[in-house]
Amino acid sequence: MPDHIHWLLSTTEKHELSQIIRMVKARVSRHQEQTIWQPGFHDHALRSEQALKPTARYIIANPVRAGLVTSVRDYPFWNAAWL
């Protein structure tokens, strides 16, 4: 998506979600040599394994719903291990 990002990830005992987001934002900002992120983030926790596949499909279909492509296969920035 041109103005936001959707991630589907699992955390570990080593890092909490807020730490992961902070590290990713810092690394991208250093690479871009500027801050491109808004403060904060919105998260949504999946409570069951059954919600995983429908959520992954929802995220992957976002570019189609936004009218950026006609097929998810045409969107170069998608990848999902859960499909």
Side-chain angles (χ1 to χ4, degrees):
M1 303 301 292
D3 62 352
H4 66 281
I5 187 168
H6 291 244
W7 287 328
L8 184 57
L9 57 94
S10 60
T11 58
T12 65
E13 292 181 17
K14 184 177 180 181
H15 298 292
E16 294 180 4
L17 181 61
S18 59
Q19 293 172 305
I20 295 168
I21 300 299
R22 188 171 40 253
M23 289 185 294
V24 170
K25 285 182 172 184
R27 179 173 248 175
V28 170
S29 294
R30 279 194 302 274
H31 180 70
Q32 295 294 319
E33 298 180 350
Q34 63 179 330
T35 300
I36 61 170
W37 304 102
Q38 69 182 35
F41 63 94
H42 300 281
D43 64 340
H44 175 83
L46 299 180
R47 304 285 180 221
S48 72
E49 195 73 25
Q50 294 172 333
L52 192 57
K53 192 176 263 188
T55 302
R57 288 181 174 161
Y58 174 84
I59 291 170
I60 289 171
N62 265 347
V64 176
R65 284 191 299 277
L68 299 175
V69 292
T70 56
S71 168
V72 295
R73 292 185 177 124
D74 297 331
Y75 193 65
F77 305 110
W78 79 274
N79 189 4
W82 291 281
L83 295 180

